[in-house]
Amino acid sequence: MSITKTKYGMWVLVAVWLTAVLLMVGCASKPKDALKVNSLPAIYPDYVGVTIPAGIAPLDFNMTDEAVSRMYVTVRGSKGGELTGSGEWAQFDIDEWHQLTEQNRGGELTVEVCAEKNGQWTQYKAFSIYVSALPLEDFGLTYRRIVPGYEVGGNIGIYERDIHTFDERPLLMESAVPGRCFNCHTANRTNPQQLTLQIRGDGGGTMVQKDGRQQWLNTKTDSTKAAGSYAYWHPDGRYCAYATNAVHQAFFVGTGQRIEAYHNFSNVVVLDTQTNELLLSPQLMTDDLEIFPAFSPDGKWLYYSTSKPCRVPAEYEKVKCSLCRIAFNAQDGSFGTQVDTLLNGPLTDKSYTLVRPSYDGRWLMYCQTSRSNFPVFQTDADLWLMDLQTGQTRAIGEANSPQTDSYHNWSSDSHWFVFSSKRDDGMYARLYMACIDSKGKVGKPFMLPQRNPRNYYAKMFDSYNCPDFTKTPVDFDVRETHRQVLRDERVQVKIRD
């Protein structure tokens, strides 16, 4: 008994000691012997001067210098409040961060960084993080994570992330549908109650989900060249537009470029999800390549890109997409007969793709590149903005980088947008979010927050693409998807007469 009690007493002492150590670490005081310098800290991610929404996950960061062993960071609000983070990286408590950002909505946070290297502490010039007065009330993001390789497979996954915490969960992994490629998961204006995605390969098909019920369709017909992809919902939820095409890849040798992706055919169709009929328009079924459809917020227009056919991949530099629109009548599912060209690719020697109208009807955001109907692999891909009240366009210089910026989507209130960018290293696409006010002014974007971000991204060999906001967590039955893919039974869509 005495031995047992002694061992028990030792464990109690150890527990008390560990608790004391943790408390001392958590309550570490600011270094008093720090050398003050008049330069900003070099941090990863670059959160200097970014604009964030109140309630976003904490903006943890590292020093870019890996020789730094410890950090001590103080964050003060212009409207009150203060918190600290210390350790190997700047780590902040979620609840304290939320409280501080909510308290300083419309104000700014001043961040003071002290870092220890080789036993010497350095205190850097403080920097600001701006807290927008505009809220971001959506639950989170959905996106696909994929190794940037050039083959089918590779543990592809569609994920959901709570942007107010660090919680991430997979919605669909390749392990559930082995050997298949899937992408283009698309909700209706951030509402996951209406969702569609496509699976390619054996057992492939188009899934249309409404209120948790999956329906699997074969959207290829004798009148169309391929199944649907690059989807976009009509705001009333009855119709969904798709491009029918196939993606191909070509590789460069000795040019400094890696890959060119292209389509050698593409048309746009609209699916009536109530009748499982495809609605076709001769203006959208030409020998040109119509691609990337998107309905206007009022549902009266269908935007898309189109390019003249050429001998790809040999003539890949000749692919110049124009941005167009055609009228759509949701009452009877009919199209207009006139096509409006908003931006003329061949005339300006540019290519305009991935149009995304803001849900409040004010803006069109799109990608501009020197060529291609597949901007993801174009280094010069930039985000541009068209004011639908004036027709004026401009590059979003506040958000663009020298590397690829693309795959953008709007928050439900149209005051925030998410996009993928390869600005880190030119290879891996990461997610960034930015604020836009009613006049079109855009704040400096910030990278999707992660715990110990340098370590997180160094160990993750995935690129992010197809990001979108989601109002609520996605209700998705992966077991049903697995059964449907293996069962390979599809409802055949028909062409409406």
Side-chain angles (χ1 to χ4, degrees):
M1 287 292 292
S2 59
I3 296 176
T4 304
K5 288 181 179 180
T6 301
K7 289 183 177 180
Y8 177 77
M10 291 177 62
W11 281 115
V12 170
L13 289 174
V14 170
V16 170
W17 177 80
L18 286 173
T19 301
V21 170
L22 291 173
L23 287 172
M24 286 189 291
V25 171
C27 300
S29 58
K30 178 180 177 180
K32 296 180 180 180
D33 57 348
L35 174 66
K36 294 184 179 180
V37 297
N38 192 30
S39 59
L40 293 170
I43 63 173
Y44 179 84
D46 176 16
Y47 286 144
V48 177
V50 299
T51 299
I52 64 171
I56 196 71
L59 266 59
D60 289 10
F61 60 86
N62 307 79
M63 299 295 290
T64 58
D65 186 347
E66 296 186 17
V68 169
S69 56
R70 284 191 296 168
M71 298 175 65
Y72 183 90
V73 180
T74 305
V75 185
R76 299 182 179 90
S78 60
K79 297 183 178 183
E82 178 179 318
L83 62 79
T84 59
S86 60
E88 294 181 10
W89 73 93
Q91 180 177 193
F92 305 107
D93 178 81
I94 293 177
D95 292 336
E96 292 179 0
W97 178 269
H98 285 174
Q99 182 179 353
L100 184 65
T101 55
E102 289 289 353
Q103 184 177 352
N104 288 276
R105 188 190 295 263
E108 65 182 271
L109 307 177
T110 300
V111 184
E112 183 183 275
V113 176
C114 293
E116 184 187 42
K117 177 180 177 181
N118 299 326
Q120 174 62 54
W121 283 93
T122 300
Q123 180 179 326
Y124 293 90
K125 182 180 178 181
F127 65 88
S128 295
I129 294 174
Y130 302 98
V131 184
S132 175
L134 298 169
L136 177 52
E137 297 177 342
D138 294 335
F139 163 78
L141 297 172
T142 60
Y143 43 80
R144 186 174 79 155
R145 278 176 34 187
I146 181 173
V147 176
Y150 311 113
E151 70 285 336
V152 174
N155 199 28
I156 301 170
I158 297 176
Y159 292 81
E160 170 188 271
R161 164 70 189 268
D162 181 350
I163 58 174
H164 309 286
T165 69
F166 298 98
D167 294 339
E168 179 188 65
R169 72 179 181 100
L171 298 175
L172 178 63
M173 300 287 291
E174 190 187 355
S175 55
V177 286
R180 277 79 171 184
C181 179
F182 47 91
N183 202 348
C184 306
H185 57 286
T186 306
N188 188 355
R189 298 162 59 99
T190 74
N191 178 10
Q193 294 302 310
Q194 296 173 336
L195 185 70
T196 185
L197 62 83
Q198 291 75 43
I199 291 183
R200 304 184 185 97
D202 293 339
T206 299
M207 185 208 76
V208 175
Q209 176 174 301
K210 291 187 175 183
D211 299 320
R213 179 180 178 272
Q214 296 183 13
Q215 184 177 35
W216 287 81
L217 310 174
N218 179 12
T219 53
K220 185 180 184 302
T221 70
D222 293 339
S223 301
T224 54
K225 296 180 180 179
S229 62
Y230 306 144
Y232 199 98
W233 287 87
H234 190 274
D236 70 6
R238 175 173 178 173
Y239 303 100
C240 194
Y242 299 87
T244 59
N245 52 44
V247 183
H248 300 273
Q249 300 176 122
F251 299 90
F252 293 93
V253 177
T255 65
Q257 302 177 77
R258 288 183 294 274
I259 185 173
E260 187 79 17
Y262 62 92
H263 307 81
N264 53 16
F265 70 87
S266 187
N267 298 128
V268 167
V269 300
V270 172
L271 172 68
D272 184 336
T273 64
Q274 289 186 8
T275 65
N276 290 331
E277 294 175 307
L278 290 183
L279 315 180
L280 307 184
S281 165
Q283 283 76 22
L284 301 175
M285 300 288 292
T286 72
D287 291 334
D288 295 344
L289 280 71
E290 297 89 15
I291 200 168
F292 295 126
F295 283 106
S296 62
D298 61 10
K300 296 180 179 179
W301 298 97
L302 181 62
Y303 296 99
Y304 64 98
S305 295
T306 181
S307 60
K308 295 294 181 183
C310 57
R311 293 187 302 110
V312 287
E315 296 180 334
Y316 70 95
E317 292 181 316
K318 292 184 178 180
V319 180
K320 310 285 182 177
C321 291
S322 297
L323 179 57
C324 299
R325 71 175 186 177
I326 188 172
F328 181 76
N329 185 342
Q331 296 298 319
D332 58 9
S334 63
F335 299 87
T337 58
Q338 178 179 334
V339 172
D340 298 332
T341 300
L342 306 181
L343 295 170
N344 191 309
L347 185 64
T348 58
D349 197 30
K350 298 292 182 182
S351 195
Y352 308 103
T353 53
L354 282 172
V355 61
R356 290 291 183 267
S358 62
Y359 304 131
D360 61 5
R362 178 67 190 278
W363 313 103
L364 283 184
M365 193 178 295
Y366 56 92
C367 263
Q368 176 178 300
T369 56
S370 60
R371 64 173 190 270
S372 179
N373 54 17
F374 202 87
V376 180
F377 289 137
Q378 305 305 313
T379 303
D380 65 352
D382 281 334
L383 302 179
W384 280 63
L385 196 67
M386 177 185 290
D387 187 335
L388 289 175
Q389 292 182 353
T390 65
Q392 294 181 334
T393 65
R394 74 173 184 92
I396 309 178
E398 308 96 317
N400 290 325
S401 73
Q403 294 291 339
T404 306
D405 299 297
S406 66
Y407 268 141
H408 45 285
N409 265 310
W410 295 92
S411 65
S412 59
D413 67 359
S414 300
H415 282 304
W416 297 85
F417 61 92
V418 61
F419 64 99
S420 69
S421 176
K422 297 181 181 178
R423 64 190 64 193
D424 259 16
D425 54 18
M427 173 70 77
Y428 293 96
R430 311 299 190 202
L431 296 189
Y432 288 78
M433 287 178 277
C435 179
I436 178 171
D437 66 17
S438 58
K439 296 182 179 179
K441 181 180 179 182
V442 175
K444 181 178 177 179
F446 63 96
M447 183 186 283
L448 177 66
Q450 305 287 358
R451 283 295 193 207
N452 195 359
R454 186 177 64 196
N455 182 68
Y456 179 89
Y457 287 114
K459 292 182 177 179
M460 189 187 74
F461 297 99
D462 289 348
S463 271
Y464 292 82
N465 60 28
C466 291
D468 198 2
F469 288 96
T470 181
K471 285 183 181 179
T472 60
V474 180
D475 179 14
F476 186 77
D477 188 345
V478 67
R479 291 187 177 88
E480 179 64 15
T481 297
H482 173 78
R483 286 193 293 268
Q484 292 290 346
V485 169
L486 296 185
R487 189 177 299 167
D488 197 16
E489 296 176 358
R490 303 290 175 262
V491 176
Q492 177 62 51
V493 303
K494 299 179 180 179
I495 304 298
R496 179 173 295 178
D497 296 332

mmCIF file of all heavy atoms in Angstrom, residues 344-371:
data_model
loop_
_atom_site.group_PDB
_atom_site.id
_atom_site.type_symbol
_atom_site.label_atom_id
_atom_site.label_comp_id
_atom_site.label_asym_id
_atom_site.label_seq_id
_atom_site.Cartn_x
_atom_site.Cartn_y
_atom_site.Cartn_z
ATOM 1 N N ASN A 344 -14.369 41.049 -76.210
ATOM 2 C CA ASN A 344 -13.990 40.346 -77.430
ATOM 3 C C ASN A 344 -12.543 39.887 -77.347
ATOM 4 O O ASN A 344 -11.614 40.701 -77.400
ATOM 5 C CB ASN A 344 -14.201 41.258 -78.637
ATOM 6 C CG ASN A 344 -14.080 40.509 -79.949
ATOM 7 O OD1 ASN A 344 -13.111 39.790 -80.180
ATOM 8 N ND2 ASN A 344 -15.075 40.678 -80.807
ATOM 9 N N GLY A 345 -12.332 38.570 -77.193
ATOM 10 C CA GLY A 345 -10.997 38.028 -77.032
ATOM 11 C C GLY A 345 -10.084 38.242 -78.221
ATOM 12 O O GLY A 345 -8.981 38.785 -78.077
ATOM 13 N N PRO A 346 -10.486 37.821 -79.455
ATOM 14 C CA PRO A 346 -9.612 38.017 -80.604
ATOM 15 C C PRO A 346 -9.291 39.486 -80.862
ATOM 16 O O PRO A 346 -8.174 39.819 -81.260
ATOM 17 C CB PRO A 346 -10.427 37.410 -81.760
ATOM 18 C CG PRO A 346 -11.305 36.398 -81.105
ATOM 19 C CD PRO A 346 -11.668 36.990 -79.790
ATOM 20 N N LEU A 347 -10.255 40.376 -80.621
ATOM 21 C CA LEU A 347 -10.034 41.798 -80.882
ATOM 22 C C LEU A 347 -9.008 42.395 -79.922
ATOM 23 O O LEU A 347 -8.184 43.230 -80.307
ATOM 24 C CB LEU A 347 -11.357 42.556 -80.768
ATOM 25 C CG LEU A 347 -11.330 44.042 -81.140
ATOM 26 C CD1 LEU A 347 -10.975 44.218 -82.613
ATOM 27 C CD2 LEU A 347 -12.672 44.693 -80.833
ATOM 28 N N THR A 348 -9.044 41.970 -78.664
ATOM 29 C CA THR A 348 -8.123 42.515 -77.658
ATOM 30 C C THR A 348 -6.881 41.650 -77.466
ATOM 31 O O THR A 348 -6.002 42.008 -76.677
ATOM 32 C CB THR A 348 -8.842 42.648 -76.300
ATOM 33 O OG1 THR A 348 -9.330 41.351 -75.899
ATOM 34 C CG2 THR A 348 -10.014 43.617 -76.400
ATOM 35 N N ASP A 349 -6.829 40.516 -78.157
ATOM 36 C CA ASP A 349 -5.722 39.572 -78.046
ATOM 37 C C ASP A 349 -5.588 39.043 -76.619
ATOM 38 O O ASP A 349 -4.491 38.851 -76.106
ATOM 39 C CB ASP A 349 -4.402 40.207 -78.500
ATOM 40 C CG ASP A 349 -3.327 39.158 -78.791
ATOM 41 O OD1 ASP A 349 -3.690 38.037 -79.196
ATOM 42 O OD2 ASP A 349 -2.137 39.460 -78.591
ATOM 43 N N LYS A 350 -6.737 38.811 -75.979
ATOM 44 C CA LYS A 350 -6.785 38.262 -74.630
ATOM 45 C C LYS A 350 -7.789 37.123 -74.593
ATOM 46 O O LYS A 350 -8.518 36.884 -75.561
ATOM 47 C CB LYS A 350 -7.177 39.333 -73.604
ATOM 48 C CG LYS A 350 -6.209 40.497 -73.499
ATOM 49 C CD LYS A 350 -4.858 40.067 -72.913
ATOM 50 C CE LYS A 350 -3.925 41.258 -72.772
ATOM 51 N NZ LYS A 350 -2.599 40.843 -72.248
ATOM 52 N N SER A 351 -7.844 36.445 -73.444
ATOM 53 C CA SER A 351 -8.823 35.382 -73.257
ATOM 54 C C SER A 351 -9.540 35.613 -71.932
ATOM 55 O O SER A 351 -8.895 35.848 -70.902
ATOM 56 C CB SER A 351 -8.137 34.009 -73.249
ATOM 57 O OG SER A 351 -9.073 32.970 -73.416
ATOM 58 N N TYR A 352 -10.896 35.566 -71.965
ATOM 59 C CA TYR A 352 -11.725 35.882 -70.799
ATOM 60 C C TYR A 352 -12.551 34.653 -70.425
ATOM 61 O O TYR A 352 -13.368 34.175 -71.220
ATOM 62 C CB TYR A 352 -12.660 37.056 -71.119
ATOM 63 C CG TYR A 352 -11.941 38.263 -71.689
ATOM 64 C CD1 TYR A 352 -11.992 38.546 -73.053
ATOM 65 C CD2 TYR A 352 -11.193 39.105 -70.875
ATOM 66 C CE1 TYR A 352 -11.328 39.643 -73.582
ATOM 67 C CE2 TYR A 352 -10.531 40.207 -71.383
ATOM 68 C CZ TYR A 352 -10.602 40.471 -72.746
ATOM 69 O OH TYR A 352 -9.942 41.561 -73.266
ATOM 70 N N THR A 353 -12.336 34.144 -69.221
ATOM 71 C CA THR A 353 -12.986 32.898 -68.818
ATOM 72 C C THR A 353 -13.438 32.967 -67.358
ATOM 73 O O THR A 353 -13.147 33.917 -66.638
ATOM 74 C CB THR A 353 -12.016 31.708 -68.967
ATOM 75 O OG1 THR A 353 -10.805 32.001 -68.270
ATOM 76 C CG2 THR A 353 -11.714 31.425 -70.429
ATOM 77 N N LEU A 354 -14.137 31.904 -66.940
ATOM 78 C CA LEU A 354 -14.568 31.723 -65.546
ATOM 79 C C LEU A 354 -15.337 32.923 -65.020
ATOM 80 O O LEU A 354 -15.074 33.421 -63.920
ATOM 81 C CB LEU A 354 -13.354 31.446 -64.645
ATOM 82 C CG LEU A 354 -12.787 30.025 -64.677
ATOM 83 C CD1 LEU A 354 -11.482 29.940 -63.893
ATOM 84 C CD2 LEU A 354 -13.786 29.021 -64.125
ATOM 85 N N VAL A 355 -16.316 33.382 -65.783
ATOM 86 C CA VAL A 355 -17.112 34.524 -65.331
ATOM 87 C C VAL A 355 -17.958 34.121 -64.127
ATOM 88 O O VAL A 355 -18.543 33.041 -64.091
ATOM 89 C CB VAL A 355 -17.998 35.062 -66.474
ATOM 90 C CG1 VAL A 355 -18.972 34.002 -66.976
ATOM 91 C CG2 VAL A 355 -18.756 36.306 -66.036
ATOM 92 N N ARG A 356 -17.999 35.001 -63.135
ATOM 93 C CA ARG A 356 -18.799 34.787 -61.928
ATOM 94 C C ARG A 356 -19.490 36.100 -61.548
ATOM 95 O O ARG A 356 -18.843 37.031 -61.059
ATOM 96 C CB ARG A 356 -17.916 34.318 -60.756
ATOM 97 C CG ARG A 356 -17.367 32.901 -60.913
ATOM 98 C CD ARG A 356 -18.483 31.884 -60.798
ATOM 99 N NE ARG A 356 -18.016 30.505 -60.863
ATOM 100 C CZ ARG A 356 -17.943 29.790 -61.955
ATOM 101 N NH1 ARG A 356 -18.276 30.350 -63.117
ATOM 102 N NH2 ARG A 356 -17.546 28.539 -61.932
ATOM 103 N N PRO A 357 -20.809 36.204 -61.783
ATOM 104 C CA PRO A 357 -21.524 37.409 -61.367
ATOM 105 C C PRO A 357 -21.739 37.421 -59.857
ATOM 106 O O PRO A 357 -22.009 36.389 -59.253
ATOM 107 C CB PRO A 357 -22.861 37.307 -62.108
ATOM 108 C CG PRO A 357 -22.991 35.893 -62.535
ATOM 109 C CD PRO A 357 -21.670 35.238 -62.484
ATOM 110 N N SER A 358 -21.588 38.588 -59.241
ATOM 111 C CA SER A 358 -21.889 38.692 -57.817
ATOM 112 C C SER A 358 -23.387 38.505 -57.621
ATOM 113 O O SER A 358 -24.194 38.861 -58.482
ATOM 114 C CB SER A 358 -21.434 40.038 -57.263
ATOM 115 O OG SER A 358 -22.104 41.114 -57.894
ATOM 116 N N TYR A 359 -23.772 37.964 -56.483
ATOM 117 C CA TYR A 359 -25.174 37.614 -56.259
ATOM 118 C C TYR A 359 -26.064 38.839 -56.042
ATOM 119 O O TYR A 359 -27.294 38.729 -56.122
ATOM 120 C CB TYR A 359 -25.290 36.662 -55.064
ATOM 121 C CG TYR A 359 -24.457 35.419 -55.232
ATOM 122 C CD1 TYR A 359 -23.607 34.979 -54.221
ATOM 123 C CD2 TYR A 359 -24.495 34.676 -56.416
ATOM 124 C CE1 TYR A 359 -22.832 33.837 -54.368
ATOM 125 C CE2 TYR A 359 -23.729 33.544 -56.576
ATOM 126 C CZ TYR A 359 -22.893 33.123 -55.554
ATOM 127 O OH TYR A 359 -22.123 31.995 -55.719
ATOM 128 N N ASP A 360 -25.450 39.993 -55.799
ATOM 129 C CA ASP A 360 -26.248 41.216 -55.686
ATOM 130 C C ASP A 360 -26.421 41.911 -57.030
ATOM 131 O O ASP A 360 -27.037 42.972 -57.112
ATOM 132 C CB ASP A 360 -25.618 42.179 -54.671
ATOM 133 C CG ASP A 360 -24.204 42.618 -55.064
ATOM 134 O OD1 ASP A 360 -23.740 42.253 -56.172
ATOM 135 O OD2 ASP A 360 -23.564 43.320 -54.260
ATOM 136 N N GLY A 361 -25.863 41.328 -58.103
ATOM 137 C CA GLY A 361 -26.059 41.860 -59.448
ATOM 138 C C GLY A 361 -25.183 43.033 -59.812
ATOM 139 O O GLY A 361 -25.365 43.638 -60.879
ATOM 140 N N ARG A 362 -24.193 43.359 -58.988
ATOM 141 C CA ARG A 362 -23.381 44.560 -59.244
ATOM 142 C C ARG A 362 -22.150 44.281 -60.091
ATOM 143 O O ARG A 362 -21.751 45.101 -60.914
ATOM 144 C CB ARG A 362 -22.957 45.174 -57.899
ATOM 145 C CG ARG A 362 -22.072 46.406 -58.037
ATOM 146 C CD ARG A 362 -22.825 47.579 -58.641
ATOM 147 N NE ARG A 362 -21.945 48.669 -58.995
ATOM 148 C CZ ARG A 362 -21.485 49.589 -58.142
ATOM 149 N NH1 ARG A 362 -21.854 49.530 -56.868
ATOM 150 N NH2 ARG A 362 -20.697 50.549 -58.560
ATOM 151 N N TRP A 363 -21.517 43.141 -59.915
ATOM 152 C CA TRP A 363 -20.209 42.919 -60.522
ATOM 153 C C TRP A 363 -20.168 41.626 -61.339
ATOM 154 O O TRP A 363 -20.911 40.683 -61.081
ATOM 155 C CB TRP A 363 -19.124 42.824 -59.438
ATOM 156 C CG TRP A 363 -19.182 43.873 -58.398
ATOM 157 C CD1 TRP A 363 -19.664 43.747 -57.114
ATOM 158 C CD2 TRP A 363 -18.741 45.232 -58.508
ATOM 159 N NE1 TRP A 363 -19.552 44.923 -56.434
ATOM 160 C CE2 TRP A 363 -18.993 45.863 -57.265
ATOM 161 C CE3 TRP A 363 -18.163 45.981 -59.538
ATOM 162 C CZ2 TRP A 363 -18.677 47.188 -57.022
ATOM 163 C CZ3 TRP A 363 -17.852 47.308 -59.299
ATOM 164 C CH2 TRP A 363 -18.100 47.903 -58.060
ATOM 165 N N LEU A 364 -19.246 41.612 -62.302
ATOM 166 C CA LEU A 364 -18.822 40.379 -62.955
ATOM 167 C C LEU A 364 -17.342 40.204 -62.655
ATOM 168 O O LEU A 364 -16.543 41.108 -62.926
ATOM 169 C CB LEU A 364 -19.003 40.440 -64.481
ATOM 170 C CG LEU A 364 -20.384 40.263 -65.081
ATOM 171 C CD1 LEU A 364 -20.273 40.274 -66.605
ATOM 172 C CD2 LEU A 364 -21.027 38.977 -64.625
ATOM 173 N N MET A 365 -16.971 39.090 -62.069
ATOM 174 C CA MET A 365 -15.564 38.779 -61.878
ATOM 175 C C MET A 365 -15.190 37.671 -62.847
ATOM 176 O O MET A 365 -15.952 36.719 -63.038
ATOM 177 C CB MET A 365 -15.281 38.351 -60.437
ATOM 178 C CG MET A 365 -13.788 38.312 -60.087
ATOM 179 S SD MET A 365 -13.465 37.846 -58.350
ATOM 180 C CE MET A 365 -14.199 39.245 -57.509
ATOM 181 N N TYR A 366 -14.018 37.796 -63.462
ATOM 182 C CA TYR A 366 -13.608 36.818 -64.462
ATOM 183 C C TYR A 366 -12.094 36.755 -64.494
ATOM 184 O O TYR A 366 -11.387 37.577 -63.882
ATOM 185 C CB TYR A 366 -14.155 37.188 -65.849
ATOM 186 C CG TYR A 366 -13.773 38.581 -66.321
ATOM 187 C CD1 TYR A 366 -12.624 38.794 -67.084
ATOM 188 C CD2 TYR A 366 -14.555 39.679 -65.994
ATOM 189 C CE1 TYR A 366 -12.279 40.069 -67.508
ATOM 190 C CE2 TYR A 366 -14.224 40.954 -66.410
ATOM 191 C CZ TYR A 366 -13.082 41.152 -67.172
ATOM 192 O OH TYR A 366 -12.725 42.417 -67.577
ATOM 193 N N CYS A 367 -11.573 35.751 -65.198
ATOM 194 C CA CYS A 367 -10.133 35.589 -65.385
ATOM 195 C C CYS A 367 -9.728 36.175 -66.736
ATOM 196 O O CYS A 367 -10.410 35.950 -67.746
ATOM 197 C CB CYS A 367 -9.744 34.110 -65.360
ATOM 198 S SG CYS A 367 -9.152 33.549 -63.771
ATOM 199 N N GLN A 368 -8.625 36.873 -66.738
ATOM 200 C CA GLN A 368 -8.042 37.328 -68.004
ATOM 201 C C GLN A 368 -6.650 36.720 -68.149
ATOM 202 O O GLN A 368 -5.832 36.770 -67.239
ATOM 203 C CB GLN A 368 -7.941 38.851 -68.058
ATOM 204 C CG GLN A 368 -7.256 39.351 -69.331
ATOM 205 C CD GLN A 368 -7.200 40.861 -69.408
ATOM 206 O OE1 GLN A 368 -8.239 41.521 -69.403
ATOM 207 N NE2 GLN A 368 -6.001 41.422 -69.485
ATOM 208 N N THR A 369 -6.413 36.118 -69.312
ATOM 209 C CA THR A 369 -5.109 35.549 -69.630
ATOM 210 C C THR A 369 -4.734 35.948 -71.051
ATOM 211 O O THR A 369 -5.547 36.493 -71.803
ATOM 212 C CB THR A 369 -5.131 34.012 -69.530
ATOM 213 O OG1 THR A 369 -6.157 33.504 -70.395
ATOM 214 C CG2 THR A 369 -5.416 33.545 -68.113
ATOM 215 N N SER A 370 -3.511 35.666 -71.436
ATOM 216 C CA SER A 370 -3.082 35.972 -72.804
ATOM 217 C C SER A 370 -3.618 34.963 -73.804
ATOM 218 O O SER A 370 -3.668 35.244 -75.007
ATOM 219 C CB SER A 370 -1.555 36.011 -72.873
ATOM 220 O OG SER A 370 -1.010 34.753 -72.490
ATOM 221 N N ARG A 371 -4.037 33.794 -73.295
ATOM 222 C CA ARG A 371 -4.557 32.737 -74.168
ATOM 223 C C ARG A 371 -5.270 31.715 -73.294
ATOM 224 O O ARG A 371 -5.332 31.852 -72.083
ATOM 225 C CB ARG A 371 -3.409 32.049 -74.927
ATOM 226 C CG ARG A 371 -2.447 31.323 -73.985
ATOM 227 C CD ARG A 371 -1.418 30.506 -74.746
ATOM 228 N NE ARG A 371 -0.655 29.642 -73.846
ATOM 229 C CZ ARG A 371 0.460 29.976 -73.244
ATOM 230 N NH1 ARG A 371 0.960 31.186 -73.437
ATOM 231 N NH2 ARG A 371 1.084 29.118 -72.464
#
